Amino acid sequence: MAHHTPPRARICPACDGFASVAVTLGGRDHRGHLRTVTAHCPACQGTGTVTARRLPEGARA
């Protein structure tokens, strides 16, 4: 009997899979560390993938 392979995860078209980035704020803190803020992709909420949309039954592709 054939084994079914699970569908591959779809990469988010908004961020191309790079869902979280560190943005520098310019400057350093009192210890000399670079100040950064983490930003997440709003389309995929930081996961890097999107779920495949299912067509309603009877709809044409």
Side-chain angles (χ1 to χ4, degrees):
M1 189 166 210
H3 292 289
H4 296 287
T5 57
R8 295 189 309 158
R10 295 174 41 113
I11 295 175
C12 176
C15 65
D16 289 330
F18 295 97
S20 297
V21 295
V23 180
T24 61
L25 297 175
R28 299 186 179 266
D29 63 6
H30 65 281
R31 294 183 186 158
H33 297 139
L34 192 62
R35 296 185 305 163
T36 61
V37 170
T38 304
H40 299 289
C41 174
C44 64
Q45 286 82 33
T47 62
T49 59
V50 291
T51 57
R53 292 186 292 163
R54 293 186 60 148
L55 293 174
E57 197 170 320
R60 294 184 183 207

